[in-house]
Amino acid sequence: YLVRSHLGELAMDRQLLPARLHLEAAVPAGDGPLGEALDEWLQGLRTARAMRERRAETAELILENLPVEPPLRMMVVGAGTGALIHGLVEDLGRLGAEVLVVDDQRESLERLQHLLQARPRNFRLRLAQRESWELVTGTARIPHSPLHLLVVDGLLDHLPEQLAVTLLAWARTQLQPGGLLLATSLGPASDDAIFRHLLRWPMVRRRAPMLHHLLEAAGLHHVRVQEDRGTGLGLVGMGRKDPMVVVGGSHSGDASHLS
C-alpha cells in the first residue's frame, strides 16, 4: 500500500533526488485517494517537516553571517535539490558572491545550473563534481580562494562519526582565518523506523550535543548548535576557524579565484 503514495514509490525505487523534490514541494500525490492520503501522512511526519524547515534555518544563518566586505566566498558541499542556493541568490547577488557547489551527483549539479540560469551579475557560480569518498576521507582537491563560509548540507545524515569528523576537518581547512562552517543534521525521531525500514531511506540521527562534539573534534571553535523552531529535529551546527596571527612577517593566502 505504501508505494501507492508518490513519496513511497520514489523512495523505495531509490530515486532520492525526485523524492527530495517531492518532499520539499509538500503537495500530496499518489495512486487514487488512498495513495494521496498516505502521501499526505508521510509528508506530515516530523522528519519530513524537519528536512523542509532546516533549509530555512540554514538560509537564515547564512544571511546573518555574511562578511562585512564583499564579495562573499562560499562553498556548499551537497547540492541537494538546489533549493538552498536558489532561495539565496538575490540576497547574495546584492552583496556580491562567489559560490562553489560540490556534489557527487551530476544530476543535482545540473539541476542547480538550470535553476540559476538567470542570476544577478554579481553572483558567480562554479560547480564541481567530486566522489563522496574524496570528501569524507578529506582527500578532495578543489582549487579556490580561502572561504568566508562553508556549508555541509545533509551529508552528515549518512555518515558515521569518524567519517563525519574527517569531512568537517577537511572543510575547516578550506576556510580563511575566522571563517564559518555550517553543518546540517537531523535529530532522533520516533518516525525513524518508517524512513529506515519502510521507505528504505536510512539516516544517521544525532542529538545536538553530538553535533556539537563533531564540530569541536574537527578543530572548530566557538561552536554552537541551533534547532529549527518547528520540529526540533533539524539541527544546524556552527563553528569558526580561529583567526591566524602572524608575528614578524606577512601571510598571503591562495590567490586563485573562482571562475
Side-chain angles (χ1 to χ4, degrees):
Y1 281 98
L2 202 61
V3 296
R4 295 183 67 173
S5 80
H6 193 47
L7 182 62
E9 178 185 20
L10 294 171
M12 284 190 271
D13 284 345
R14 306 304 298 161
Q15 299 182 56
L16 291 187
L17 179 57
R20 290 189 180 102
L21 288 168
H22 180 61
L23 189 149
E24 285 186 357
V27 178
D31 181 10
L34 176 59
E36 188 171 322
L38 285 169
D39 202 66
E40 184 175 10
W41 171 68
L42 290 171
Q43 295 272 9
L45 292 173
R46 291 190 72 193
T47 294
R49 299 201 313 272
M51 292 174 74
R52 290 191 291 266
E53 292 175 9
R54 73 172 173 179
R55 187 188 73 212
E57 294 290 333
T58 305
E60 187 175 310
L61 287 168
I62 290 172
L63 293 177
E64 288 176 359
N65 288 277
L66 296 177
V68 176
E69 295 184 4
L72 166 70
R73 294 187 301 276
M74 174 178 169
M75 179 191 294
V76 178
V77 178
T81 64
L84 176 64
I85 299 300
H86 185 241
L88 290 169
V89 65
E90 294 299 329
D91 289 297
L92 299 184
R94 281 192 291 271
L95 173 73
E98 301 171 344
V99 178
L100 169 59
V101 181
V102 184
D103 201 285
D104 65 341
Q105 297 296 319
R106 181 174 296 276
E107 184 182 10
S108 294
L109 294 172
E110 288 176 346
R111 173 176 170 75
L112 180 60
Q113 179 76 54
H114 176 74
L115 286 174
L116 299 182
Q117 279 184 338
R119 53 183 182 263
R121 180 178 300 177
N122 290 333
F123 183 94
R124 300 173 65 191
L125 177 68
R126 178 183 169 193
L127 306 177
Q129 185 176 8
R130 294 293 186 275
E131 296 296 332
S132 295
W133 66 264
E134 294 181 81
L135 297 169
V136 301
T137 58
T139 59
R141 297 291 180 264
I142 310 170
H144 60 81
S145 299
L147 304 166
H148 296 107
L149 180 62
L150 193 153
V151 182
V152 177
D153 190 24
L155 266 68
L156 299 187
D157 296 339
H158 309 286
L159 297 178
E161 181 176 349
Q162 184 174 355
L163 290 179
V165 171
T166 304
L167 170 63
L168 294 174
W170 170 84
R172 177 182 56 81
T173 65
Q174 310 303 302
L175 296 169
Q176 70 173 28
L180 177 68
L181 173 65
L182 300 181
T184 68
S185 185
L186 281 177
S190 58
D191 58 23
D192 181 55
I194 295 171
F195 280 82
R196 181 176 300 275
H197 300 297
L198 295 183
L199 295 178
R200 304 173 191 169
W201 195 340
M203 287 174 278
V204 179
R205 311 294 191 118
R206 294 183 169 93
R207 299 188 184 278
M210 175 52 73
L211 181 55
H212 194 284
H213 163 73
L214 293 179
L215 290 161
E216 287 194 330
L220 291 151
H221 301 268
H222 313 296
V223 173
R224 65 188 178 98
V225 177
Q226 182 165 311
E227 293 184 337
D228 69 66
R229 291 183 286 268
T231 66
L233 303 178
L235 310 176
V236 184
M238 296 150 271
R240 290 197 179 274
K241 182 176 182 178
D242 266 356
M244 183 176 294
V245 178
V246 179
V247 179
S250 62
H251 170 75
S252 60
D254 180 3
S256 62
H257 294 280
L258 299 179
S259 59

